[in-house]
Amino acid sequence: MTHLPPGLTYPEAGATGRRPLPAGYHHLYEVGYVGRGRPVFEAAADAVLSWRMHRAAGVRVPAGTLPAAPGVVVDVSLGLGPLRASGTCAVVWAVREERRAGFAYGTLPGHPECGEESFVVTLDGAEDVHLAVTAFSRPARWFTRAAGPLVPAFQRRYARHCARVLRAEVARAVV
């Protein structure tokens, strides 16, 4: 399941897929409700793996970026004007199973953070669909170090935003 792309800026590739998360990083784990039923799960899985959720959440992902799969490299940016942060990531693992779908990407040189983040949609036994965002990261550039505790707070807010955006994307896709 884990693929180790060359050039990752951290040694714990794939760690968002297991517990505990590595020491020495800020940890994030947020779960949000997306909807109910198999059609909702399938639409959510498609939106996550195709980068549609990221784009709808305000992340710039270049047109033509391949769907999330191990080894896929993606340039992402988020923010407005001079506050836009950009970085390159590589997908380290991806999964599409009967009740679980998603991926994790890790940072490459030049990214403002050092670490990994995963986005996983699950369909539980009660047929509820959730998005779990798991991350471990630490500042890698002067401006993320200077931002101090604002970065983890922003990451938590962004993770919650992803769940809301995915819920809206799925509502449009599932009639």
Side-chain angles (χ1 to χ4, degrees), residues 39-67:
V40 168
F41 170 77
E42 294 297 337
D46 290 344
V48 167
L49 292 168
S50 71
W51 307 104
R52 198 170 72 242
M53 178 196 72
H54 283 75
R55 288 182 178 109
V59 176
R60 286 190 188 165
V61 176
T65 299
L66 295 173

Side-chain angles (χ1 to χ4, degrees), residues 61-157:
V61 176
T65 299
L66 295 173
V72 168
V73 174
V74 59
D75 294 315
V76 295
S77 66
L78 181 65
L80 298 171
L83 298 178
R84 179 164 290 281
S86 300
T88 303
C89 298
V91 176
V92 295
W93 61 262
V95 62
R96 179 103 191 216
E97 298 170 346
E98 186 69 20
R99 294 185 166 272
R100 185 171 163 261
F103 72 93
Y105 55 22
T107 56
L108 293 172
H111 195 285
E113 290 284 299
C114 171
E116 187 174 294
E117 188 168 27
S118 69
F119 304 86
V120 178
V121 177
T122 57
L123 176 65
D124 69 18
E127 298 299 305
D128 288 329
V129 179
H130 292 91
L131 171 70
V133 180
T134 304
F136 61 92
S137 63
R138 61 181 170 229
R141 308 272 303 274
W142 70 267
F143 56 89
T144 49
R145 284 190 291 278
L150 295 177
V151 174
F154 171 80
Q155 288 172 324
R156 188 164 313 285
R157 184 175 177 180

Side-chain angles (χ1 to χ4, degrees), residues 10-56:
Y10 61 101
E12 304 92 349
T16 53
R18 54 188 183 271
R19 298 289 180 275
L21 293 174
Y25 298 88
H26 295 289
H27 294 167
L28 170 75
Y29 183 71
E30 286 288 330
V31 178
Y33 181 76
V34 177
R36 187 175 187 79
R38 168 70 49 192
V40 168
F41 170 77
E42 294 297 337
D46 290 344
V48 167
L49 292 168
S50 71
W51 307 104
R52 198 170 72 242
M53 178 196 72
H54 283 75
R55 288 182 178 109

